[in-house]
Amino acid sequence: MSYKLKLSPLFVIEFIFSLLFIIFFGFGNFLIFILASMIFGVVLLGIFWKNMLEFQILGFKNMLTQFSFVIAGFLLVFPGVLTSFIGFLIFLFGIFLKIATKTKYTRRQNRNSSEEIIDVEIIEDEK
């Protein structure tokens, strides 16, 4: 038995949501929405790519956050109303993860600020 992933139900549902969006908001707004979501998705994928190149993924929670941004970026790039809406929800989930896992950095203070540093130079006498 071979299992195939059938995307035709997704395309049908996406088509229905797109038609409903066009009926309620107009075709011009549909094009603007699709273009804006595509640009936002490309920006998200670009940010992820930059973070990957700079090795800024440090822990599991940070990796999960970046992964949610990648999934949201791919869904936003895919043209359609339903996928853009789901991508936006996943983006909000990633923002929530980023805020929830934010660590506070504290400055290290000098242990004893009253200590003085003395620079000494030793000169040998010739005999």
Side-chain angles (χ1 to χ4, degrees):
M1 292 177 93
S2 73
Y3 293 100
K4 293 184 180 179
L5 179 65
K6 295 185 179 183
L7 294 177
S8 57
L10 174 67
F11 291 132
V12 170
I13 293 172
E14 189 67 55
F15 183 72
I16 291 170
F17 272 88
S18 297
L19 281 178
L20 289 174
F21 189 91
I22 290 170
I23 289 170
F24 285 110
F25 298 108
F27 186 70
N29 289 332
F30 174 73
L31 291 178
I32 291 171
F33 177 77
I34 295 300
L35 184 65
S37 69
M38 284 181 155
I39 291 172
F40 187 60
V42 169
V43 168
L44 277 179
L45 291 174
I47 290 171
F48 173 75
W49 185 253
K50 181 181 93 57
N51 288 342
M52 283 297 293
L53 291 177
E54 294 177 357
F55 299 109
Q56 290 187 1
I57 297 177
L58 303 174
F60 177 73
K61 291 179 182 177
N62 194 351
M63 184 177 67
L64 185 63
T65 302
Q66 293 296 326
F67 184 68
S68 68
F69 288 157
V70 168
I71 297 298
F74 277 121
L75 288 174
L76 287 168
V77 167
F78 187 79
V81 176
L82 182 64
T83 53
S84 296
F85 180 72
I86 293 171
F88 184 70
L89 291 178
I90 292 174
F91 174 72
L92 290 179
F93 174 73
I95 293 291
F96 175 74
L97 274 178
K98 191 168 191 135
I99 291 172
T101 60
K102 195 174 201 180
T103 57
K104 295 181 181 177
Y105 296 103
T106 58
R107 284 188 173 179
R108 295 178 75 183
Q109 296 178 354
N110 292 337
R111 285 180 248 150
N112 293 327
S113 60
S114 63
E115 291 181 9
E116 294 181 24
I117 298 174
I118 301 173
D119 188 20
V120 177
E121 183 177 335
I122 300 174
I123 302 174
E124 291 185 23
D125 291 335
E126 292 182 22
K127 292 185 181 181

